[in-house]
Amino acid sequence: MAIYFIVLSTDRFFYTFMLLLAIPFCYGQSSDSVRFESDYRKILHQMSAEKDSLDNLINLTEKNYRLTDIQKSKLYYIKTKVFSLMVNETPEDENADAVIDPAENLPLLDRAVQRIIQSRTAIGIPLLQEYLEIADPGSDSADYASVYLAEGYRKIEEYQKGMDVIYQLLKGKEISLRNRAFAYNRLAALYDECSSSVAPNRYDSVAKYCDLCIQISEKNGFIDHLATAQNELGFYYNIKKEYSKALELYDKAFDNFIKVNHLADAINARYNIAKIYFQLERHADAIEVLLSAEKMGRENVGTNIFVKLYIELSRNYEATGRYQSAYEYLNIARKMQIDAFKSNIRANIYDMSAKYEAEKKEKENLQLRMENEIKQVKIRTKNSVIGWLIAGILFIGALLVTIVFLYFQKKKALNILVKRNLEIVDTEKEYGIISEQVAELTKSDFNKPENTIIQTGEIADLKEQLETLMRNDKPYLFSDISINDIGQKLNTNRTYISKLINDHYHKNFNDYINEYRIKTARQLLADPLKNHISIEGIGQMSGFNSRSTFFTCFKKYTGISPSYFRESIK
């Protein structure tokens, strides 16, 4: 006698089976059963063989035996593995290289959604976030991606994040009715699975958002969202122990899932019905529903739903005392869980490998971009330096040319001024304004008044007398000559002299006197016989007692400096 204790832990249930087998299994089986078990083990042994041979062997096995439900389930399990081989094109070898996922060729949003559906959230969530960064905010595709992002958070049990994403989507904006129904649907699922600490009245929220989704979906013909909401609402009534309402909703969800060809969801609806039958102790009905769900097919469904079916079948067979069947289905479920675990490991390895390669490639691209940027910066810097050097050289060259040009222009202008001043010197000599010899005069001699007395009212004759005085007596040669001295010499007052100079010569007394001094200095500078006298000496001889005043006045009246004038005529 052999006693086997098998303990299997799932998400919500702990099953303990004590299977008492009084005699070896083969003693109570027919010869067909013995041969079936032999072929079944042979098929398992050859799982990594050529798939065509496997298909032929499976088909022959199905034709050669009148199979029981358990035997059909075993073949379904093998078919699942064969289908997995066909899809993945890789043997179950731990060292086998990861295959290229067909989803990788899809557009970004479709690829992200596939990853969420496959529960590969570590890849799907970043892809959705990447898509949302480039998508047009408010577009249908962006809203659709946001709902799937919330679904991704649900699958990794970050329920509050998922709720926040959907509430942000629904808050104060218009979205399409289909996306709104989808958002209500997933919001109900989030409330269904979250803890009471996150949402104390979560079941009321499940009912609320399921009803909102159903209303929109029925009115607009969104059969897929309608079916999902009905299935979710059935779970709500199941929790409330209103089993008749729950069964009705699960049946409606099943029919609608079939209409839109959502096979996995339809099988899940049947599974939910069987769970209620189990609670009602209608085990025969539960087994019938589960077996009918199993026969609906496996392609593109996945193994997780069948693991749930077989565990539920095992529970119901155990409840009816059929421990052999319970063991067989539990064993199939265990094998499928192991396969799923291995598949998930391979998928995770592939995801990590793909992520590593992507990050590696991104780093390489970043490094290349940085190197190219550095090269470009160097080239731009070099070109900039060369450009600035060329510009500087051109600028300096242009500046030098300008300076030379201005120098020669200035020199030409100064030469013209020198020539004009020499012409003026000759003219002034001809008019006898300046005599050839400067008389040695004293201030006391000059202060002797003239015999002629200028009477008030004879201002018109004063101009001629003043000019005669300036030509003959040269009072401007005295550095300290004043307007009072001139008035005294002409027997008149300073007011008449000042008014005469202002009205007729449009200048003040000092400018009038300095103009005569400059004429004298110009005559002296132009005289080769006076070259031995310094510039300062010429200024003093002309009546200036300050070198700076002499230079300033000379340039003001002639346009050139006294030194340049002398050098130019040598």
Side-chain angles (χ1 to χ4, degrees):
M1 181 179 296
I3 299 177
Y4 298 90
F5 293 89
I6 301 175
V7 179
L8 178 63
S9 173
T10 63
D11 292 340
R12 297 184 179 178
F13 304 98
F14 292 94
Y15 302 104
T16 305
F17 294 90
M18 184 172 67
L19 304 177
L20 179 60
L21 305 178
I23 57 175
F25 297 141
C26 60
Y27 291 169
Q29 294 177 325
S30 66
S31 59
D32 280 351
S33 295
V34 173
R35 287 190 293 114
F36 172 82
E37 290 298 328
S38 175
D39 289 344
Y40 174 70
R41 285 192 294 271
K42 187 186 297 183
I43 293 171
L44 288 177
H45 182 69
Q46 295 180 356
M47 284 303 297
S48 60
E50 184 66 32
K51 290 186 286 294
D52 291 340
S53 298
L54 283 171
D55 289 337
N56 293 333
L57 187 54
I58 292 169
N59 292 333
L60 286 172
T61 303
E62 287 180 322
K63 291 178 182 179
N64 290 341
Y65 307 105
R66 295 176 60 185
L67 302 176
T68 65
D69 290 333
I70 293 175
Q71 290 169 342
K72 290 177 182 178
S73 296
K74 289 181 177 181
L75 286 181
Y76 284 150
Y77 163 63
I78 292 175
K79 285 182 178 180
T80 301
K81 292 182 71 67
V82 173
F83 177 73
S84 177
L85 290 172
M86 290 179 178
V87 171
N88 294 320
E89 291 295 331
T90 181
E92 289 219 12
D93 182 0
E94 294 181 356
N95 298 319
D97 293 333
V99 296
I100 297 175
D101 192 331
E104 292 298 326
N105 296 322
L106 295 174
L108 178 59
L109 178 57
D110 294 336
R111 190 163 75 251
V113 168
Q114 282 297 314
R115 292 293 178 257
I116 298 298
I117 292 172
Q118 295 167 354
S119 297
R120 296 166 68 177
T121 51
I123 298 295
I125 289 176
L127 288 177
L128 286 170
Q129 291 170 335
E130 179 184 347
Y131 177 79
L132 287 171
E133 288 180 359
I134 61 175
D136 182 18
S139 63
D140 282 350
S141 60
D143 296 341
Y144 178 73
S146 295
V147 180
Y148 259 109
L149 180 61
E151 174 68 1
Y153 287 135
R154 181 188 70 83
K155 290 196 173 189
I156 60 175
E157 300 181 5
E158 294 191 15
Y159 304 113
Q160 190 60 58
K161 279 188 177 181
M163 293 176 188
D164 291 342
V165 169
I166 293 183
Y167 279 130
Q168 185 64 32
L169 178 64
L170 297 174
K171 180 181 178 181
K173 63 173 292 188
E174 290 295 328
I175 63 174
S176 68
L177 291 173
R178 172 168 282 280
N179 282 332
R180 184 173 290 275
F182 188 23
Y184 287 147
N185 184 304
R186 292 301 84 200
L187 194 54
L190 285 161
Y191 276 111
D192 180 18
E193 297 183 18
C194 73
S195 64
S196 298
S197 61
V198 176
N201 301 319
R202 64 191 185 98
Y203 291 122
D204 292 336
S205 297
V206 171
K208 172 186 174 181
Y209 290 111
C210 282
D211 286 335
L212 288 172
C213 179
I214 289 172
Q215 291 173 18
I216 296 175
S217 299
E218 285 182 338
K219 185 176 180 180
N220 295 277
F222 304 146
I223 305 300
D224 50 349
H225 297 321
L226 174 62
T228 308
Q230 289 169 337
N231 192 64
E232 202 71 50
L233 192 57
F235 178 78
Y236 166 78
Y237 284 114
N238 186 16
I239 294 296
K240 296 289 187 180
K241 298 186 184 301
E242 297 182 30
Y243 298 123
S244 59
K245 286 186 178 180
L247 288 170
E248 180 184 354
L249 285 165
Y250 285 144
D251 279 329
K252 288 181 178 179
F254 173 79
D255 293 337
N256 286 322
F257 280 134
I258 292 297
K259 287 180 182 178
V260 292
N261 198 30
H262 286 194
L263 191 57
D265 293 324
I267 294 173
N268 189 60
R270 281 287 190 241
Y271 167 77
N272 291 334
I273 292 171
K275 287 179 66 176
I276 292 179
Y277 284 153
F278 181 85
Q279 295 176 61
L280 297 174
E281 297 185 358
R282 294 168 56 180
H283 302 298
D285 292 335
I287 291 171
E288 181 182 353
V289 169
L290 291 167
L291 291 175
S292 66
E294 182 196 31
K295 295 175 182 177
M296 292 176 64
R298 291 177 175 275
E299 288 75 8
N300 298 319
V301 173
T303 60
N304 290 337
I305 185 63
F306 285 97
V307 170
K308 291 164 63 178
L309 285 180
Y310 292 143
I311 291 175
E312 195 64 27
L313 276 167
S314 180
R315 291 178 67 203
N316 281 277
Y317 278 122
E318 180 202 7
T320 58
R322 298 163 66 179
Y323 299 113
Q324 174 68 33
S325 297
Y327 168 78
E328 295 287 357
Y329 278 111
L330 197 60
N331 192 39
I332 296 172
R334 180 185 63 82
K335 290 178 179 178
M336 294 186 75
Q337 281 181 318
I338 292 172
D339 292 340
F341 179 71
K342 289 181 178 179
S343 178
N344 287 337
I345 289 176
R346 285 197 300 271
N348 288 334
I349 290 173
Y350 172 78
D351 288 344
M352 286 188 289
S353 176
K355 187 176 181 180
Y356 169 75
E357 291 297 330
E359 289 179 352
K360 181 180 177 183
K361 187 173 182 180
E362 184 178 354
K363 287 181 180 178
E364 290 175 351
N365 291 337
L366 178 61
Q367 186 174 358
L368 287 174
R369 287 197 299 271
M370 291 179 64
E371 289 176 355
N372 289 333
E373 185 65 25
I374 291 171
K375 288 181 181 177
Q376 292 298 321
V377 169
K378 288 181 177 178
I379 292 172
R380 287 196 297 269
T381 303
K382 182 178 179 181
N383 291 339
S384 177
V385 170
I386 294 173
W388 279 108
L389 285 174
I390 293 173
I393 292 170
L394 292 175
F395 175 76
I396 293 172
L399 184 62
L400 290 174
V401 170
T402 303
I403 291 172
V404 171
F405 174 77
L406 292 176
Y407 170 77
F408 283 106
Q409 287 293 103
K410 183 178 181 180
K411 189 173 183 180
K412 182 179 179 181
L414 291 174
N415 290 335
I416 292 173
L417 288 174
V418 170
K419 184 178 179 181
R420 288 179 180 176
N421 279 280
L422 289 174
E423 291 175 354
I424 292 172
V425 169
D426 293 338
T427 302
E428 289 174 348
K429 282 183 179 180
E430 291 175 1
Y431 283 98
I433 295 175
I434 301 298
S435 63
E436 291 296 333
Q437 294 181 350
V438 179
E440 294 291 336
L441 299 176
T442 63
K443 183 72 176 292
S444 59
D445 293 334
F446 176 76
N447 284 336
K448 294 178 181 180
E450 296 287 340
N451 294 329
T452 304
I453 298 175
I454 305 299
Q455 302 293 331
T456 302
E458 297 178 348
I459 190 68
D461 296 332
L462 185 58
K463 175 178 179 291
E464 182 178 352
Q465 295 176 21
L466 176 62
E467 291 178 353
T468 301
L469 176 66
M470 298 299 288
R471 283 195 306 270
N472 296 333
D473 294 348
K474 300 176 178 60
Y476 51 84
L477 296 178
F478 302 106
S479 62
D480 58 348
I481 191 68
S482 67
I483 192 171
N484 290 326
D485 294 333
I486 299 296
Q488 184 179 357
K489 185 70 175 176
L490 296 178
N491 288 325
T492 185
N493 59 49
R494 60 175 293 156
T495 302
Y496 284 112
I497 299 296
S498 178
K499 179 174 176 56
L500 171 65
I501 294 173
N502 289 335
D503 291 345
H504 290 275
Y505 300 104
H506 307 293
K507 58 187 71 175
N508 59 36
F509 176 76
N510 287 333
D511 288 341
Y512 180 76
I513 293 298
N514 286 336
E515 183 176 355
Y516 275 95
R517 288 171 175 170
I518 295 302
K519 290 177 181 179
T520 300
R522 186 165 49 192
Q523 291 283 344
L524 294 173
L525 290 170
D527 187 355
L529 299 177
K530 303 295 188 300
N531 285 342
H532 63 285
I533 303 174
S534 67
I535 299 295
E536 290 80 1
I538 295 295
Q540 291 175 358
M541 291 175 64
S542 302
F544 290 101
N545 61 2
S546 169
R547 181 179 185 278
S548 60
T549 303
F550 172 50
F551 271 70
T552 302
C553 291
F554 193 92
K555 191 165 186 179
K556 176 181 177 181
Y557 287 102
T558 64
I560 52 178
S561 66
S563 56
Y564 186 85
F565 179 70
R566 169 175 273 182
E567 292 296 325
S568 298
I569 60 178
K570 281 184 178 180

